């Protein structure tokens, strides 16, 4: 499985957009801005976009969705609990074609992954669990976790969601919505929010 990171919204939001592929077909996680940059990256690599996976509905993660979907006809997956986000936080009406649900196992672009509903940052936040890799959105960051003070946020839910992540088996790599990649063991050991759970 190949993972490429495009950091979009330069100089301001630095949202990690991930291109994930096993072969020609490709998944894009959180195309927050600059859909033309994502399209150019796909074209350069000869990839066909099968689906966009959204870790949550905040504007800095979904801004490029509609343009990419229009250009490629790809499917768009979102947890519908984020449809309750105020339009100002989701950049208007959220566009999606398929609903994520907790525990759902999906195979797209030849890759199988499981959906973990992890509310806290938003009500519809999810983490996507691939073999040996977690895409953690704005739930878990290296040394930190997502903010819980925006509408739809809940510190109580965040604690439960972080506990679910910490309880996953093994030491998968963690690719967050912002900042550097890490590993689950590193976060279990050093992340103050995970350490506070035990
Ligand atoms: Zn967010």
């Amino acid at each position: 499985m190949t993972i490429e990171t495009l950091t979009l919204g330069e100089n301001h939001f630095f949202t990690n957009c991930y291109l994930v592929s096993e072969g020609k077909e490709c998944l894009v996680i959180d195309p927050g801005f600059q859909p033309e940059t994502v399209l150019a990256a796909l074209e350069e690599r000869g990839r066909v976009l099968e689906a966009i996976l959204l870790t949550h509905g905040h504007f800095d993660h979904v801004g490029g969705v509609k343009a990419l979907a229009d250009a490629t006809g790809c499917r768009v997956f979102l947890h519908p609990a984020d449809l309750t986000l105020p339009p100002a936080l989701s950049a208007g009406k959220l566009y999606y074609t398929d609903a994520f649900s907790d525990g759902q196992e999906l195979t797209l672009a030849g890759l199988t992954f499981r959906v973990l509903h992890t509310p806290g940052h938003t009500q519809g936040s999810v983490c996507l669990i691939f073999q040996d890799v977690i895409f953690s959105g704005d739930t878990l960051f290296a040394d930190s976790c997502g903010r819980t003070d925006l509408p739809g946020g809940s510190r109580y839910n965040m604690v439960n969601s972080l506990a679910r992540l910490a309880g996953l088996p093994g030491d998968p790599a963690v690719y967050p919505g912002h900042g550097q990649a890490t590993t689950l063991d590193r976060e279990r050991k050093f992340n103050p929010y995970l350490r506070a759970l035990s």
Side-chain angles (χ1 to χ4, degrees):
M1 172 166 133
T2 309
I3 301 169
E4 291 175 84
T5 309
L6 303 175
T7 305
L8 304 179
E10 294 109 335
N11 308 324
H12 205 55
F13 289 103
F14 301 105
T15 305
N16 290 329
C17 168
Y18 297 108
L19 271 48
V20 185
S21 58
E22 184 71 68
K24 195 173 159 60
E25 260 102 55
C26 181
L27 303 173
V28 166
I29 299 177
D30 289 354
F33 301 93
Q34 299 152 253
E36 66 289 349
T37 304
V38 180
L39 281 173
L42 292 169
E43 198 166 317
E44 218 168 86
R45 293 157 180 80
R47 302 266 198 269
V48 175
L49 178 56
E50 182 166 334
I52 294 171
L53 314 179
L54 298 173
T55 63
H56 63 296
H58 278 161
F59 66 91
D60 58 325
H61 295 253
V62 307
V65 167
K66 192 65 171 69
L68 278 177
D70 285 347
T72 64
C74 70
R75 295 163 78 180
V76 179
F77 288 76
L78 170 79
H79 194 293
D82 268 359
L83 298 175
T84 58
L85 279 170
L89 284 181
S90 58
K93 195 173 178 320
L94 283 163
Y95 174 83
Y96 74 113
T97 63
D98 294 82
F100 277 144
S101 62
D102 187 48
Q104 183 181 30
E105 192 169 281
L106 287 162
T107 301
L108 297 165
L111 295 160
T112 299
F113 62 96
R114 192 158 52 86
V115 178
L116 200 66
H117 182 209
T118 51
H121 178 63
T122 65
Q123 292 181 47
S125 284
V126 298
C127 292
L128 305 170
I129 320 288
F130 290 68
Q131 194 181 12
D132 301 329
V133 175
I134 298 174
F135 293 95
S136 62
D138 287 3
T139 300
L140 178 64
F141 298 132
D143 295 321
S144 189
C145 71
R147 58 190 289 186
T148 57
D149 59 324
L150 295 169
S154 156
R155 195 209 285 247
Y156 174 82
N157 287 342
M158 178 60 87
V159 168
N160 288 332
S161 292
L162 292 176
R164 285 185 81 190
L165 285 173
L168 290 172
D171 182 24
V174 176
Y175 288 82
H178 303 272
Q180 67 191 40
T182 179
T183 71
L184 194 54
D185 258 354
R186 191 189 172 281
E187 296 315 304
R188 288 182 185 117
K189 281 196 194 95
F190 300 114
N191 187 311
Y193 296 92
L194 294 197
R195 287 169 59 99
L197 298 171
S198 53

